[in-house]
Amino acid sequence: MLRNFSGCGLATTALAALCATACAADSIDNYALPAKTAFPAAMPRYANAWFYIDASLAPSFEAAVRLVTGGLRQVMHLPEYYPPFDNPEGCDFEVRVEHLQPWIDPVHRSLQHAHAFHMRYYYTQLVAAGLEKVVFRNRTFYRFAASVHYEVGHANPNHADVEVCPICGRTGEYAGVDGNLVERVHDPLGLELLLRGTIRGQTVRAEDWERRPLGSVGTLADKFPCQHRNVSGTDGRPEHREDRNRGARTEAVNGSAARKTGLSARAEIPDMPRQEKDGA
């Protein structure tokens, strides 16, 4: 499992790899992330999460997608929504969890709201462009992308932005962050929840009778035992996404084309029983 966080949590892209055996450290260049032109024009900004699945774990690309999306649906209890629906942004389908971490503050009564975890999956266009499979270190991986963020709940009239919210706003460690609130705050918060099951370091719990932790990609370790390594060399800057939005093929996860940032990590996941490889 590859993770990408800067020191203050301002990651802009994360990579997750499911392997059948241990993977040696790799440069981010080996992942050859596609340009934004590979995605639907309706996608407003470059995907901030990528899933790489060792081809030995799935008999096909479709099975690899099901392995991850089905696994996350199960461990995080993610409701799935398929188009047509409002504002799909070109995705194949999306998951949304509403009513999380209600912010109640009498001083800001009109701005009060609960939060939503929202992730859109993208893979059909990658297949059409022949970009759904990549080989490095003599190993084949299937891959697909997602756009994930954490925001004001969709039913709230203040959706999606409340600048002063201590949970999803430009506050706390994000107080000095300039630029678009969605990309600079909502997106990294979404990645934090996806990868860690937390928001600003606090465990997020479902607002149901069980009050269970929402979970994370890490919960898949129950099905794919793994050791985690944080990806190094991040600075939280979004230039890489802007470059890909213009169609450039820079291969740095953090840093502009002129100042690529070296990236390395290890993923160690023991061999899986053959009956588990299809996922659900």
Side-chain angles (χ1 to χ4, degrees), residues 98-117 150-171 181 185-186 189 199-200 207:
E98 304 279 352
H99 313 298
L100 299 172
Q101 294 184 304
W103 175 50
I104 301 173
D105 185 350
V107 176
H108 300 286
R109 188 177 300 275
S110 65
L111 299 178
Q112 293 178 153
H113 58 270
H115 295 87
F117 172 75
Y150 194 72
E151 60 189 348
V152 176
H154 292 76
N156 190 282
N158 296 300
H159 176 79
D161 303 340
V162 173
E163 290 272 351
V164 299
C165 176
I167 299 170
C168 70
R170 207 183 306 263
T171 56
L181 184 68
V185 181
H186 293 176
L189 286 175
I199 290 294
R200 300 184 187 242
E207 292 297 321

Side-chain angles (χ1 to χ4, degrees), residues 232-243:
S232 62
T234 65
D235 62 8
R237 297 175 63 84
E239 289 94 340
H240 74 286
R241 296 178 80 185
E242 295 169 3
D243 289 337

Side-chain angles (χ1 to χ4, degrees), residues 20-35:
T21 57
C23 294
D26 283 292
S27 166
I28 190 60
D29 292 342
N30 293 102
Y31 291 91
L33 297 179

Side-chain angles (χ1 to χ4, degrees), residues 25-62:
D26 283 292
S27 166
I28 190 60
D29 292 342
N30 293 102
Y31 291 91
L33 297 179
K36 187 178 180 295
T37 52
F39 294 94
M43 187 175 79
R45 60 193 183 281
Y46 196 75
N48 63 343
W50 283 86
F51 300 96
Y52 282 67
I53 304 94
D54 191 320
S56 68
L57 294 176
S60 65
F61 174 72
E62 291 77 11

Side-chain angles (χ1 to χ4, degrees), residues 239-261:
E239 289 94 340
H240 74 286
R241 296 178 80 185
E242 295 169 3
D243 289 337
R244 290 196 174 87
N245 288 345
R246 293 191 294 266
R249 295 185 63 86
T250 176
E251 304 303 347
V253 164
N254 279 298
S256 65
R259 48 184 295 278
K260 292 185 181 180
T261 302

Side-chain angles (χ1 to χ4, degrees), residues 23-142:
C23 294
D26 283 292
S27 166
I28 190 60
D29 292 342
N30 293 102
Y31 291 91
L33 297 179
K36 187 178 180 295
T37 52
F39 294 94
M43 187 175 79
R45 60 193 183 281
Y46 196 75
N48 63 343
W50 283 86
F51 300 96
Y52 282 67
I53 304 94
D54 191 320
S56 68
L57 294 176
S60 65
F61 174 72
E62 291 77 11
V65 171
R66 290 196 301 270
L67 186 68
V68 174
T69 60
L72 289 177
R73 179 184 66 242
Q74 183 177 20
V75 300
M76 296 182 69
H77 301 264
L78 299 176
E80 295 178 344
Y81 302 90
Y82 292 80
F85 52 74
D86 183 55
N87 196 27
E89 296 187 356
C91 72
D92 288 285
F93 73 97
E94 69 178 29
V95 294
R96 297 193 306 269
V97 182
E98 304 279 352
H99 313 298
L100 299 172
Q101 294 184 304
W103 175 50
I104 301 173
D105 185 350
V107 176
H108 300 286
R109 188 177 300 275
S110 65
L111 299 178
Q112 293 178 153
H113 58 270
H115 295 87
F117 172 75
H118 191 185
M119 181 163 61
R120 296 181 175 97
Y121 292 117
Y122 296 87
Y123 50 85
T124 299
Q125 292 289 100
L126 292 174
V127 174
L131 296 170
E132 81 281 11
K133 186 183 295 187
V134 65
V135 177
F136 56 91
R137 291 189 177 272
N138 298 317
R139 300 176 67 170
T140 301
F141 285 79
Y142 296 116

